Amino acid sequence: MSQIAFDFDSILQRMMTNLSSKSLWADFLSFGVAENILAPIAQEMAYSNGYDEYLTIENMWAKARNKSSLLVQSPVHGYKVPRKQSARGTLRVSTSKDFDEVYSGGVNISIPKFFEFSGNGIYVVSDVNYTLIASSAYMDITCRQGEYKSVSFLATGDLYETKEIIDDSVDNDFFELYVNGIKWECIDTLFESSATDLVYEVYTKNDLSGVVLKFGNGVFGRKLEINDKVEFKYISTKGAEGIIYAPSIIDTVESQAFDVTGKPVKLYVTNISAISGGQDYPTLDNIRTLSPRVYQTGDRTSSSTDYETKISQFPYISKVNVWGAFETLKDSNRDLWDFIPSDENVVHLALLDTLYQNLSDTEKTQVITDLHAKCDPTDLIKFEDVEKIPLIFEVNAIVKNSSYSLVQVKSNIETTLINAYSIENMSFNENIYNSDFVAMLDAVDGVRNHTSSILCKKEGNLFSQAYLAKLDLHIYPLDYTKFKIYICDLTQEDPQYELLAVCDSNGSIIGQGDYNTSNSVINLNTGKGTLIVNSGLTENYLRYKLKIIYASLSLDLILKNRADIFTYDSSNIEVNYPNN
């Protein structure tokens, strides 16, 4: 039996056929006016059937195409979809334009939480209360990207009173609420609170247009009384669009500062670091995948996936990778029934905070605290240091024709690389395959063809003593022709890198210029080796910084360790018009 179609033409044809079979209508249908009457009816029926089909699909978790459809269903899983997450960074603040003189007033200056700065159309705020000490020429403070906003209202005194905040960019966790000047605490659910607890909930509207504040009923959380004055302070963040990759972009003080005597003070500001970590709402596929996992995990963490699901919901964590004995055996190609005494019950956690840094001791303690009630008491948590592998992109591109601006095409390439490989967009266990890399650059607007390659970088105070450094490169086998070691003397007024050594086909590290590196070697197959600088250095070894530039012999960059993750570092891009 053929399938019945419900599009406009099919519906209209069936209506005409059915009516033509009836003697009373047969003659009438020969006039065009009949079809003109039936056509709008058929069109509305087609619209109705199409809408019914749309609603059916949107109610199917695996096929829904709108976030709102999944957001309506996700609470059944116990999953709260996170909102945008603001980027974070560090500002330098001073009363001196050059950041080199103390405040002439001779007293301290207050910089309260939510104090606002801006630059290049992007707003940031201080994340806690700070005091610029009178004897200090400047102070470094941490900030969150977002524009400060405040909403005040008088309570109606209803049970479970709610208040909508219409703003689709309310930060996921950076906000405060005061009732009659007293700060209340935001919790996950009111049903875990007592009658006197000063608590409230914040949840995201299903259409992502804002948030809803929800208060207690006098049994589960204290009830608001009539005319209680409520103030909700928050930042409206750009999420991933609020990331600032370069220093010295934030240059304007938006709020008015005062010293402790109440006198207005003029401040100067600059960001001394990138402001990073901004995230947008999760994608449709992210929600579709994670929400059922939350339901399946429940209150347990009995597998690597359970741990990842739980930890992914911690607002102070941006990247998660978890593994245990099973994955360790699999990685080493051993029998999955082998027993590894040192790895029994060990849960390895590779985590980055919202600044994409390894966790501080405080953050590690918080992870343990948040997992304590959920995990098996025999599980042993082990935090693994994450190795971020910076990538340097070498691109030589030919543009399609002279109608394309070289500057614009170069910018297009750089933007494409940053969007694809910045730490915000990379994941643990995510390899980079040359075919994908080449195809991505082929698709950049204005690019006709290109030759491109990727270099890796390892940088830091790598000397463990004078002057010996253990080398441990995480991408291999190595292309010895691309291997170079640079050194920087941090005692110099303007420290600059200079070439220290290169490598030959046997893995011998050969000193350049006045540097003697005899007996230095690196295993090209494993990336491990030893650098010994026998002459050419005179300062304390801690004053030297090394930078190793290297490349894989394979065009595909394959991660060897579960705690490794790729990240964009820089790009060297050359673009030219075709010669013909």
Side-chain angles (χ1 to χ4, degrees):
M1 181 178 178
S2 60
Q3 187 174 358
I4 299 175
F6 292 93
D7 59 279
F8 166 74
D9 290 333
S10 299
I11 293 173
L12 181 59
Q13 184 59 48
R14 285 197 298 272
M15 292 174 68
M16 297 289 287
T17 300
N18 289 337
L19 290 175
S20 65
S21 65
K22 302 181 184 300
S23 58
L24 293 176
W25 283 86
D27 293 335
F28 180 67
L29 290 176
S30 62
F31 298 98
V33 68
E35 184 171 348
N36 290 339
I37 293 173
L38 295 176
I41 299 174
Q43 185 65 74
E44 287 304 314
M45 293 177 69
Y47 285 151
S48 178
N49 286 317
Y51 186 60
D52 287 342
E53 181 181 4
Y54 165 79
L55 293 178
T56 300
I57 291 174
E58 289 303 306
N59 276 289
M60 300 172 68
W61 184 265
K63 294 185 177 181
R65 291 166 291 185
N66 293 303
K67 283 185 182 180
S68 58
S69 302
L70 298 187
L71 291 174
V72 169
Q73 300 176 63
S74 61
V76 176
H77 297 148
Y79 175 57
K80 288 189 175 182
V81 178
R83 294 180 296 280
K84 291 181 180 180
Q85 181 76 57
S86 56
R88 306 182 187 192
T90 302
L91 306 176
R92 179 159 293 175
V93 181
S94 174
T95 57
S96 166
K97 187 175 182 179
D98 296 321
F99 300 88
D100 58 357
E101 296 180 6
V102 300
Y103 174 46
S104 60
V107 295
N108 296 343
I109 300 168
S110 298
I111 303 177
K113 186 175 182 178
F114 294 111
F115 195 92
E116 201 166 45
F117 309 88
S118 70
N120 201 26
I122 296 179
Y123 287 84
V124 300
V125 300
S126 54
D127 59 358
V128 296
N129 295 320
Y130 289 96
T131 300
L132 175 57
I133 304 301
S135 58
S136 299
Y138 64 83
M139 178 176 60
D140 292 340
I141 68 175
T142 51
C143 68
R144 302 281 291 257
Q145 186 282 315
E147 187 174 357
Y148 170 64
K149 295 189 177 182
S150 175
V151 175
S152 298
F153 61 94
L154 296 178
T156 60
D158 294 338
L159 299 177
Y160 290 124
E161 183 168 345
T162 60
K163 173 66 175 180
E164 291 188 357
I165 308 295
I166 305 302
D167 185 336
D168 64 0
S169 299
V170 176
D171 186 82
N172 190 60
D173 57 17
F174 191 68
F175 50 78
E176 292 180 345
L177 184 137
Y178 294 84
V179 178
N180 300 324
I182 299 174
K183 187 177 179 180
W184 285 31
E185 179 186 1
C186 180
I187 60 175
D188 289 337
T189 173
L190 291 169
F191 296 115
E192 295 180 353
S193 59
S194 66
T196 58
D197 289 343
L198 307 181
V199 294
Y200 64 102
E201 289 183 32
V202 175
Y203 60 88
T204 307
K205 291 171 61 67
N206 290 334
D207 61 0
L208 303 181
S209 64
V211 300
V212 177
L213 311 178
K214 182 179 179 180
F215 301 88
N217 66 341
V219 177
F220 299 108
R222 182 170 172 178
K223 184 177 78 71
L224 290 179
E225 302 299 332
I226 297 176
N227 290 329
D228 277 347
K229 184 177 181 181
V230 183
E231 183 181 18
F232 182 63
K233 300 179 179 181
Y234 71 97
I235 55 173
S236 184
T237 180
K238 291 179 176 291
E241 292 183 6
I243 294 172
I244 298 175
Y245 292 97
S248 305
I249 300 299
I250 301 299
D251 56 9
T252 303
V253 179
E254 296 287 346
S255 301
Q256 176 61 63
F258 298 89
D259 65 23
V260 294
T261 68
K263 180 181 178 181
V265 178
K266 181 176 178 59
L267 292 180
Y268 297 89
V269 65
T270 187
N271 59 301
I272 61 174
S273 70
I275 296 178
S276 59
Q279 299 180 37
D280 292 329
Y281 283 102
T283 65
L284 189 69
D285 288 337
N286 290 151
I287 299 172
R288 202 191 311 276
T289 300
L290 187 57
S291 187
R293 285 185 181 178
V294 172
Y295 175 74
Q296 294 163 3
T297 299
D299 278 338
R300 75 179 195 279
T301 48
S302 57
S303 69
S304 299
T305 301
D306 291 343
Y307 271 98
E308 286 190 7
T309 301
K310 282 293 182 188
I311 296 173
S312 294
Q313 298 176 76
F314 297 167
Y316 52 93
I317 300 297
S318 65
K319 303 288 180 182
V320 182
N321 199 22
V322 182
W323 68 95
F326 175 84
E327 290 82 5
T328 300
L329 290 168
K330 188 176 179 181
D331 291 345
S332 56
N333 295 315
R334 294 176 58 176
D335 190 314
L336 298 181
W337 291 99
D338 281 355
F339 177 69
I340 310 176
S342 61
D343 227 37
E344 184 68 10
N345 294 333
V346 175
V347 179
H348 301 269
L349 304 183
L351 310 176
L352 293 178
D353 64 19
T354 53
L355 290 177
Y356 303 106
Q357 302 297 324
N358 279 288
L359 302 193
S360 64
D361 289 341
T362 300
E363 289 170 324
K364 290 178 181 178
T365 300
Q366 188 63 49
V367 170
I368 296 296
T369 300
D370 291 342
L371 287 175
H372 174 69
K374 312 294 183 183
C375 62
D376 191 310
T378 62
D379 285 351
L380 302 174
I381 303 297
K382 181 180 180 182
F383 292 96
E384 303 289 350
D385 285 339
V386 175
E387 177 87 6
K388 291 183 290 184
I389 302 176
L391 303 176
I392 301 172
F393 296 90
E394 304 276 349
V395 181
N396 192 326
I398 302 298
V399 301
K400 291 180 178 179
N401 53 59
S402 58
S403 67
Y404 290 90
S405 161
L406 294 180
V407 173
Q408 186 58 53
V409 174
K410 181 177 181 179
S411 176
N412 292 345
I413 294 172
E414 184 175 32
T415 300
T416 298
L417 292 171
I418 291 174
N419 288 340
Y421 301 116
S422 63
I423 189 70
E424 292 87 354
N425 299 321
M426 295 301 292
S427 302
F428 288 107
N429 305 320
E430 183 176 0
N431 300 315
I432 298 177
Y433 296 97
N434 186 63
S435 58
D436 296 334
F437 170 61
V438 171
M440 180 185 67
L441 292 186
D442 284 342
V444 173
D445 187 32
V447 172
R448 187 182 77 174
N449 60 277
H450 64 92
T451 55
S452 305
S453 60
I454 307 176
L455 301 174
C456 301
K457 183 176 81 170
K458 188 179 184 72
E459 186 175 24
N461 299 100
L462 304 180
F463 284 122
S464 59
Q465 62 185 67
Y467 295 102
L468 182 146
K470 292 293 184 182
L471 306 182
D472 185 10
L473 306 181
H474 287 208
I475 300 299
Y476 47 82
L478 302 176
D479 180 350
Y480 77 92
T481 65
K482 303 289 181 64
F483 182 91
K484 291 181 173 60
I485 302 179
Y486 297 86
I487 190 165
C488 176
D489 183 353
L490 300 177
T491 63
Q492 299 297 314
E493 183 176 343
D494 182 22
Q496 299 290 329
Y497 276 111
E498 64 178 9
L499 184 62
L500 172 68
V502 296
C503 182
D504 67 13
S505 59
N506 297 314
S508 296
I509 298 176
I510 304 168
Q512 302 295 292
D514 295 331
Y515 297 110
N516 181 315
T517 59
S518 58
N519 299 319
S520 298
V521 66
I522 187 163
N523 188 318
L524 298 176
N525 292 318
T526 66
K528 298 184 184 299
T530 302
L531 170 67
I532 305 171
V533 183
N534 303 295
S535 63
L537 302 179
T538 57
E539 299 292 339
N540 184 295
Y541 71 93
L542 294 175
R543 295 179 177 268
Y544 291 106
K545 192 175 182 181
L546 294 176
K547 178 172 67 176
I548 305 173
I549 303 297
Y550 64 102
S552 171
L553 197 59
S554 168
L555 294 178
D556 297 329
L557 301 185
I558 307 299
L559 293 168
K560 306 297 194 300
N561 301 307
R562 289 182 176 268
D564 292 351
I565 187 171
F566 289 119
T567 177
Y568 177 92
D569 178 82
S570 59
S571 54
N572 301 312
I573 303 171
E574 183 176 344
V575 293
N576 293 286
Y577 291 118
N579 292 326
N580 54 5

